[in-house]
Amino acid sequence: MTSYLTESFDRLPFGSAEKARRYATERYQGAAGLNWYDCDPTLRFLMRRHLGDGFGWAEPRLREMGALMGGPVAAWAEETDRNPPRLEKYDRWGRDVSEVVMPPSFEAARREIVATSFTRPGFVAEAKRAGVDPAPMGVAWSYLLDQADIGMACALGTGGDMVVRLAELFAPEDVKARVRELFAAGEMSGEAAQMLTERSGGSDLGALESTASRDGDAWRLNGFKWFASNANGSAFVVLAKPEGAVDGVRGIAPFLVLRERRDGSRNGVRIRRLKDKLGTRSVASAEIEFTDAEAFLLAPGSSAGEGGDGKGLARMMELTNGARLGISMMGLGCARRALVESLCYARAREVFGTSLIEQPLMRRKLAELIVETEAAQALVFDGYLGRPRLRIGAALIKLRAARLGVTAASDAIEIHGGNGYIEQWPVARILRDAQVNPIWEGGDNILCLDVRRAIERQDAHEPFLERLTSAVQQAPAGDDATAGLVSERIGHLREAIDRWRGLDRTVAEARLYPLAQYMADVYAAALLLEQAGWERADSGEDRKALVARLYARTHLADAGPLRAIDAPAEDLDRFKDLADGAFIGV
């Protein structure tokens, strides 16, 4: 039964019940309300692979999480986007309270997510008692949450690991105890924030102006942070320069600032205003002023003039790779949601006498979305679960996955046509949200500079190339051409890196972007071949081999003078295998 009224124009002479059926509201339900674990064969495949014998114990819990994220959390996310946080700046007597008021939908989602998170200490202990590695389940939790709301993922995950680890290493004992209380529900409880960016810019951190002055075993911090997310948190990592430090990167030190001082009074943390953002409205981002805020140095004790030990920023950057993987997962979540919404819409929408998904050009676009999303999925999951973790991996993975979130969401809008451009449909918010991912934790240029740093200082390309080689060695028999192509490109990539290292410094920097893109291309192709080998061993099937072949053909093969127009049409001939292996739903 429908829930809407019949309109007079439904009975016009050229109207018909058949035409009206094409745009019946109930036909277009989309991803919301589905179980996002059950409808995702690629996630189930990865969980079987990474959990091994623990998969049987884990799957019922994964299924419950899929229902939660696809149901209530997805609905709460839409409500929060329409009713974002607001700032209560002053109380009735005009005193500055700087309180961020979160909407009820956000609070409901946060309570439920934190209480059921696969990263909470109680669950981790339960899994270990059952003999199950909780890490893959934690990755799956992030993957599912990011399809619902990357703003919530930011609110829960911004800097929690950084606060906890640095506080345990360097904070006074009473402050450590307070931090432990705040994070009793786990590092991803929404209590933390990183406060780095100032008006001088987020990339040029050496130019920051915030200053700290010693005050016993604490410090007094003054300064202004221009873009601070999760402003309603309770514990902040803040970058500042101790008085007397050098005015540059070596003078920077990280400080812990809590919302309340040791004596229980309100700390000197003032919120100037909340940012009126394009997207990610569920995380409160603000301009924050510190006025004699009580702070604690998160570095080895030393004189103020040395800025901690001069390695504060470097120490934080070591933890940044984890944050970059988090942003990569957000990009993947946006891409996956865009793909699912596109498949749902294309299956329901009828044009020219058949469903949209039957049209050859639409199948080409959807096949491309499927292949690109699964390539990004392979990269992100390897970043989290691959061992040893690659120094160069996080930058390359973010470079690819964050950008894919934007392009996939844009494609989803195009697939929906004019409907996709309307906020009542789900894909406009995906694009608004996804656009922040290439910015957070370093834009493309910053990522490329990190690739250079890793190669020049640590020869980080060597273990990277070894990882690619070992992945290709796991490729299944029967598609030697693809494995051969990827192996050849690994050799070419080594040659490209060697040639790049001999370039003039200025030219070499300008060539970093195509080099990093090449590295990401070969990395993803190698991982897809590795997954194809797993699939062949697990079920005897060859769908992942098809995905690897299509990806390598697009990104690594020589298109020739005909631009591959005469290439085999496997994306069309085996479209059903691609689509059914990506999404089970309507």
Side-chain angles (χ1 to χ4, degrees), residues 45 476-479 531-542 544-545:
F45 166 72
D479 193 1
Q531 288 189 0
W534 297 346
E535 182 187 55
R536 181 69 59 82
D538 179 57
S539 64
E541 296 179 0
D542 71 339
K544 279 291 183 182

Side-chain angles (χ1 to χ4, degrees), residues 208-221:
L208 67 79
E209 300 166 318
S210 295
T211 305
S213 305
R214 190 182 289 277
D215 185 13
D217 68 342
W219 296 71
R220 287 181 290 107
L221 196 148

Side-chain angles (χ1 to χ4, degrees), residues 123-160:
F123 181 85
V124 170
E126 179 187 355
K128 289 181 176 178
R129 285 195 298 271
V132 176
D133 179 6
M137 297 184 72
V139 176
W141 175 79
S142 294
Y143 172 76
L144 292 168
L145 172 59
D146 284 328
Q147 293 174 54
D149 187 359
I150 67 168
M152 177 63 76
C154 176
L156 296 181
T158 300

Side-chain angles (χ1 to χ4, degrees), residues 162-173 175-176 217 254 256 296-301 309 311-312 315:
M162 196 175 290
V163 169
V164 171
R165 294 181 198 182
L166 293 180
E168 286 295 332
L169 286 172
F170 303 115
E173 290 302 321
V175 177
K176 289 181 186 178
D217 68 342
L256 172 66
F296 304 94
L297 180 65
L298 296 177
D309 59 354
K311 300 178 181 179
R315 191 174 292 108

